[in-house]
Amino acid sequence: MTKPDSKALADAAIVLLREMFGEGVDFSYTTYFKSNEELSGIALKLPGCTNAPVVCIDDMLDDISAKDVADVVAPIFQAALRSYDKVMPVLPEMTREYVLENVVLQALSRKRNRQMLKAHPHIQFLDLAGIFRVPVGKWERNSLSTGLITNQIAKKLELTAEQLAEAARRNTISKFGIQLISTQEMGQFFIQGHH
């Protein structure tokens, strides 16, 4: 794999990793030397943390997809995050139970988020789309780090947008009243259930 290729691959994988891990964690493409050889990899960047784990991508297959790279490096970073749990909220295991108990809805404009909606299960209402988020940090008043539910996660857990919507409706009401929903209509819509 030549360097420009590995940078392009890493950049594409980083987009997917950001979706998987949600806010509060970031990744960057990096090159480093190991026994006089320049290697490229993806680094996990944590706020206030200088010692970032890096996963080398040079030795991955030539025709590997960005999604495969993301799937390979995600568990490594997940394990690294666990050992950093002093600094970082630990990512919850994305189990079906965890998602159903904690998923909440975020309303956003369908027009402005067309691309993003392709990769995320969502429900539609008027000109809005509801996407699904789960908390990845501790619940705190007024602040919450969340991760987005992607199509891959939903598929892996065998959850449909309808099942997510139903769970989100229950959780949003029980946990917040309906604070997380950004518009009145979306709120009414969810309280009445969607028809």
Side-chain angles (χ1 to χ4, degrees):
M1 207 183 302
T2 61
K3 284 285 174 273
D5 289 351
S6 56
K7 173 151 178 38
L9 185 64
D11 288 343
I14 285 169
V15 171
L16 299 171
L17 286 165
R18 285 181 180 142
E19 283 178 6
M20 288 173 172
F21 283 76
E23 293 132 32
V25 187
D26 200 11
F27 305 90
S28 63
Y29 171 74
T30 185
T31 53
Y32 60 103
F33 284 89
K34 194 171 181 179
S35 37
N36 293 332
E37 187 189 1
E38 190 189 12
L39 298 172
S40 46
I42 297 175
L44 170 68
K45 297 192 301 194
L46 291 173
C49 187
T50 46
N51 172 13
V54 176
V55 179
C56 178
I57 58 170
D58 287 337
D59 45 10
M60 293 188 181
L61 302 171
D62 275 346
D63 55 356
I64 192 168
S65 71
K67 181 184 172 337
D68 289 338
V69 172
D71 287 345
V72 169
V73 302
I76 300 168
F77 286 140
Q78 189 135 11
L81 279 173
R82 262 189 218 116
S83 58
Y84 281 116
D85 60 1
K86 312 292 166 280
V87 200
M88 263 309 293
V90 179
L91 278 183
E93 290 300 330
M94 285 286 180
T95 61
R96 196 182 154 97
E97 292 69 30
Y98 180 83
V99 170
L100 288 171
E101 280 166 26
N102 294 283
V103 67
V104 288
L105 185 88
Q106 179 191 0
L108 37 78
S109 153
R110 283 215 324 245
K111 264 205 298 286
R112 284 204 303 274
N113 296 284
R114 245 187 226 123
Q115 277 311 104
M116 182 204 169
L117 291 174
K118 285 184 185 154
H120 299 82
H122 57 280
I123 51 160
Q124 299 185 349
F125 181 66
L126 304 177
D127 58 346
L128 297 172
I131 52 170
F132 304 99
R133 288 183 168 275
V134 288
V136 293
K138 300 175 183 56
W139 287 102
E140 278 170 35
R141 268 189 84 71
N142 307 329
S143 80
L144 175 63
S145 287
T146 57
L148 273 173
I149 298 286
T150 60
N151 287 343
Q152 284 103 336
I153 294 172
K155 192 171 166 188
K156 200 169 101 190
L157 302 181
E158 297 179 356
L159 288 168
T160 63
E162 286 66 38
Q163 289 166 313
L164 287 165
E166 184 48 44
R169 192 168 76 83
R170 280 197 310 272
N171 297 339
T172 306
I173 294 165
S174 66
K175 289 189 164 75
F176 306 102
I178 49 170
Q179 278 168 356
L180 260 200
I181 294 173
S182 64
T183 66
Q184 219 35 57
E185 295 120 340
M186 205 70 164
Q188 291 312 120
F189 172 66
F190 273 93
I191 288 167
Q192 293 152 5
H194 45 299
H195 304 293

